[in-house]
Amino acid sequence: MRPEIVLFGDSITEQSFRSGGWGAALADTYSRKADVKVRGYGGYNTRWALFLMQHLFPLDSKKPPAAATIFFGANDAAILGRTSERQHVPVEEYKENLRKIVLHMKKCSPTILIVLITPPPVDEDGRNKYARSLYGEDAREEPERMNEVTGVYAKKCIELAEEIGLRSINLWSKLQETEGWQKKFLSDGLHLTPEGNAVVHQEVVRVFREAWFSAEEMPYDFPHHSDIDEKNPEKAFQQRCA
Amino acid sequence: MRPEIVLFGDSITEQSFRSGGWGAALADTYSRKADVKVRGYGGYNTRWALFLMQHLFPLDSKKPPAAATIFFGANDAAILGRTSERQHVPVEEYKENLRKIVLHMKKCSPTILIVLITPPPVDEDGRNKYARSLYGEDAREEPERMNEVTGVYAKKCIELAEEIGLRSINLWSKLQETEGWQKKFLSDGLHLTPEGNAVVHQEVVRVFREAWFSAEEMPYDFPHHSDIDEKNPEKAFQQRCA
């Protein structure tokens, strides 16, 4: 009965049900109105995500999702020749992969509301500290992700959204508007703190609302308990379950 | 592809995706292994919950849930003649309603793993303070829920679980094992604090594990990113998606 919202992305989506996570908060915002399904794959780039499309979004689905967030790029933007180079995807391919993901989803669910989210900014100092906490002196000095490079991917993501008429969230820009974003919003230079998660949650709720997919305007799936007449409970259910 | 875990209950289930909530934590524990679906209805007792069964658990479902928690009783135990009396359900009827809920679920999904959870204890002082915060001097002095009475409902819930061979969590007893449970685990005398949520999460994970429904032993739904050969990514997906 309830519409479904799919969150498709990398680790920032996979971890979105940890304490303070944006996915859990979204599920709470749409409580009794829509179901939130997490499809987050830590470490994945858009090239690998493409292998999942026919499985996650089968074209013969009886109940395709009503809305989705597509949130990739943090791994695609890993830099060639550095520690995470196996995840690297060239920026033009990133954009075309995103396009394929979108087109597949639209084939699966023609009226789906899709919101593209850019990768968050990178705090290179935070990444280095994180690498040293893992590898000590062996950690390379050169960051495996750079904020400026990730910014190029973010730009491509927004460019695609504009080209094909999708809503989008420029998280890369948005987070950097706040002084001290590096530590306030990012826990290891890349993943989100509870404060960073809160921004993603607010932004997704805002964009969904602007697209007329607002929790406030959606009906509860069954009567509110105060609308149930305790002497005659079936009445409330007959009206709402007919 | 992933099995589904349904959380069926009242407000303590409905609110389980708030920050620190046990439902969100469970979704995180089963990340990439099972989907957690919230079916929590604030204010509902078991009598009203019965009206939902055929809608939430249709007998012709193609993909019925693999596991479920049933978590009612906090409202059934509201006391006659007091503020929340409209939610009251006699304790024998509570037990029979729970039985009907279980039997319907088993008809829908014959191999489903069902865990019954008793209502949490009631902190009467906390309830009174909460009532005064809402109604000031007009708040009645007599608590609308009493710990001892809720304990009788908890006992019936456990009795039913034993009669029909279900796993159960005696949350009423469990929480009271800790000194200062009244304020540590309950925010308004009835609903759970993050610490109370953490206990429910731990208990559900423990009981699921004991019933061989353990996240540790379930496969990831797709290859871990470190198993993907970047020169030949299709290989990992051919093996796992066949």
Side-chain angles (χ1 to χ4, degrees):
Chain A
M1 300 178 69
R2 301 188 200 182
E4 192 174 273
I5 303 169
V6 177
L7 314 182
F8 187 42
D10 54 32
S11 55
I12 304 171
T13 297
E14 185 178 335
Q15 297 172 8
S16 71
F17 279 67
R18 293 194 182 166
S19 188
W22 67 276
L26 197 68
D28 190 54
T29 299
Y30 284 83
S31 171
R32 293 190 53 186
K33 296 176 174 182
D35 285 323
V36 174
K37 206 181 210 178
V38 214
R39 289 296 178 266
Y41 296 89
Y44 273 53
N45 54 33
T46 53
R47 193 187 286 165
W48 302 340
L50 280 176
F51 287 101
L52 308 180
M53 297 311 291
Q54 55 174 316
H55 302 283
L56 298 185
F57 307 98
L59 296 184
D60 60 351
S61 170
K62 292 269 185 311
K63 208 204 152 207
T69 56
I70 302 177
F71 191 173
F72 283 101
N75 298 315
D76 300 61
I79 291 175
L80 276 178
R82 305 216 181 143
T83 346
S84 300
E85 70 167 345
R86 57 185 292 278
Q87 292 167 299
H88 170 80
V89 170
V91 70
E92 282 303 333
E93 184 190 335
Y94 164 71
K95 182 180 170 186
E96 290 316 305
N97 290 343
L98 276 185
R99 188 195 305 271
K100 286 177 193 164
I101 290 171
V102 169
L103 293 182
H104 182 97
M105 275 195 193
K106 282 179 169 282
K107 213 183 261 184
C108 168
S109 185
T111 59
I112 190 171
L113 167 65
I114 295 177
V115 176
L116 291 184
I117 308 178
T118 76
V122 176
D123 167 29
E124 293 163 28
D125 170 65
R127 288 313 281 164
N128 278 340
K129 281 189 180 134
Y130 175 70
R132 280 201 297 278
S133 77
L134 288 182
Y135 310 112
E137 291 300 307
D138 295 339
R140 296 204 205 171
E141 277 302 308
E142 294 163 319
E144 26 76 85
R145 286 168 173 85
M146 289 169 71
N147 193 36
E148 204 183 324
V149 173
T150 298
V152 177
Y153 285 72
K155 207 172 154 195
K156 281 287 164 188
C157 174
I158 300 298
E159 198 177 281
L160 176 73
E162 283 166 5
E163 270 176 41
I164 54 181
L166 293 179
R167 311 261 165 172
S168 61
I169 296 169
N170 193 335
L171 192 64
W172 189 83
S173 296
K174 175 78 192 169
L175 293 186
Q176 290 183 83
E177 286 169 9
T178 299
E179 183 105 20
W181 58 269
Q182 293 90 338
K183 311 298 175 206
K184 186 180 176 65
F185 294 139
L186 303 171
S187 61
D188 58 2
L190 180 65
H191 294 94
L192 302 167
T193 60
E195 289 79 10
N197 272 284
V199 175
V200 177
H201 171 242
Q202 282 157 25
E203 288 294 297
V204 173
V205 167
R206 177 182 64 76
V207 174
F208 277 3
R209 187 186 293 125
E210 286 171 7
W212 299 280
F213 192 80
S214 162
E216 292 95 321
E217 302 193 10
M218 293 164 79
Y220 275 108
D221 62 345
F222 289 104
H224 189 272
H225 78 89
S226 61
D227 293 330
I228 302 172
D229 173 2
E230 71 271 25
K231 304 273 180 248
N232 191 8
E234 54 280 12
K235 209 176 141 194
F237 291 96
Q238 278 160 0
Q239 288 167 343
R240 292 292 291 272
C241 304
Chain B
M1 299 180 68
R2 300 189 201 181
E4 192 174 273
I5 303 169
V6 177
L7 314 182
F8 187 41
D10 54 31
S11 55
I12 304 171
T13 297
E14 186 179 336
Q15 297 172 8
S16 70
F17 279 67
R18 293 194 181 166
S19 188
W22 67 275
L26 197 69
D28 190 55
T29 299
Y30 284 84
S31 169
R32 293 189 54 185
K33 296 177 173 182
D35 285 324
V36 173
K37 207 181 210 178
V38 214
R39 289 296 178 266
Y41 296 88
Y44 273 52
N45 55 32
T46 53
R47 193 186 285 165
W48 302 340
L50 281 176
F51 287 101
L52 308 179
M53 297 311 291
Q54 54 173 316
H55 303 284
L56 298 185
F57 307 99
L59 295 183
D60 60 350
S61 170
K62 291 268 185 314
K63 208 204 151 208
T69 56
I70 302 176
F71 191 172
F72 283 100
N75 298 315
D76 300 61
I79 291 175
L80 276 178
R82 306 221 179 139
T83 346
S84 301
E85 70 167 344
R86 57 186 292 277
Q87 292 167 299
H88 170 79
V89 170
V91 69
E92 282 303 333
E93 184 190 334
Y94 164 70
K95 182 180 170 186
E96 291 316 306
N97 289 344
L98 275 185
R99 188 195 303 273
K100 285 177 193 163
I101 291 171
V102 169
L103 293 181
H104 182 97
M105 275 196 192
K106 282 179 169 282
K107 213 185 259 184
C108 167
S109 185
T111 60
I112 191 171
L113 168 64
I114 295 177
V115 176
L116 291 185
I117 308 178
T118 76
V122 175
D123 167 30
E124 292 162 29
D125 170 66
R127 288 312 282 164
N128 277 341
K129 282 191 178 130
Y130 175 70
R132 279 200 298 279
S133 77
L134 289 182
Y135 309 112
E137 291 302 307
D138 294 339
R140 295 204 206 170
E141 278 301 310
E142 294 164 321
E144 25 76 85
R145 286 170 173 85
M146 290 169 71
N147 193 36
E148 204 183 323
V149 173
T150 298
V152 176
Y153 284 73
K155 206 172 155 195
K156 281 287 164 189
C157 174
I158 300 299
E159 198 178 281
L160 176 73
E162 283 166 4
E163 270 175 44
I164 55 181
L166 293 179
R167 311 261 166 173
S168 62
I169 296 169
N170 193 334
L171 192 65
W172 188 83
S173 296
K174 175 79 193 169
L175 292 186
Q176 290 183 83
E177 286 170 10
T178 298
E179 183 104 21
W181 59 269
Q182 294 89 339
K183 311 300 176 205
K184 186 179 175 66
F185 293 139
L186 303 171
S187 61
D188 58 2
L190 180 66
H191 295 95
L192 301 167
T193 60
E195 289 78 11
N197 272 284
V199 175
V200 177
H201 171 242
Q202 282 158 24
E203 288 294 297
V204 173
V205 168
R206 178 183 63 75
V207 174
F208 277 3
R209 187 186 294 125
E210 286 171 8
W212 299 279
F213 192 79
S214 161
E216 293 95 321
E217 303 193 10
M218 292 164 80
Y220 275 108
D221 62 345
F222 288 104
H224 190 271
H225 78 89
S226 60
D227 294 330
I228 301 172
D229 173 2
E230 71 271 25
K231 304 274 179 251
N232 190 8
E234 55 279 14
K235 209 177 141 195
F237 290 96
Q238 278 160 1
Q239 289 167 343
R240 293 291 290 271
C241 304

